[in-house]
Amino acid sequence: NGLDIARPVKALTNALAAAGFTGIHVESLGPHVWPGWDLWLSRQWPPGTWPRNFLHAYEQKILDYYLVTAEQPIGNSVRNATR
């Protein structure tokens, strides 16, 4: 139906930490994503339609687009860290 299930980025970073990952870093990519995405959507969807809500939701800090990185400590597999 067009939208993945949104989750707080903190839920992901907490899960990574619980699995033994370190050096967890979160970077917002929203300023580089949402304006261009809205421009592309504007070619097919008029203002006020549902797809055009992404930029508004970003501007209201309801959602964002992130790059999340983490390091797996040497000798610590994900399988072992989650047991």
Side-chain angles (χ1 to χ4, degrees):
N1 58 6
L3 181 63
D4 291 333
I5 298 172
R7 302 270 191 247
V9 72
K10 189 70 174 168
L12 174 59
T13 58
N14 288 345
L16 289 169
F21 286 86
T22 61
I24 300 167
H25 179 74
V26 176
E27 180 181 354
S28 168
L29 300 179
H32 307 286
V33 173
W34 299 115
W37 179 244
D38 187 66
L39 179 62
W40 182 82
L41 288 171
S42 73
R43 297 176 184 173
Q44 299 179 27
W45 299 92
T49 55
W50 188 90
R52 299 295 301 282
N53 287 330
F54 286 104
L55 180 60
H56 298 297
Y58 165 70
E59 292 169 341
Q60 295 171 23
K61 301 191 184 310
I62 296 170
L63 59 79
D64 203 343
Y65 203 95
Y66 296 99
L67 172 63
V68 179
T69 58
E71 299 172 11
Q72 182 179 355
I74 296 173
N76 184 15
S77 72
V78 173
R79 177 180 287 165
N80 292 335
T82 58
R83 287 187 182 172

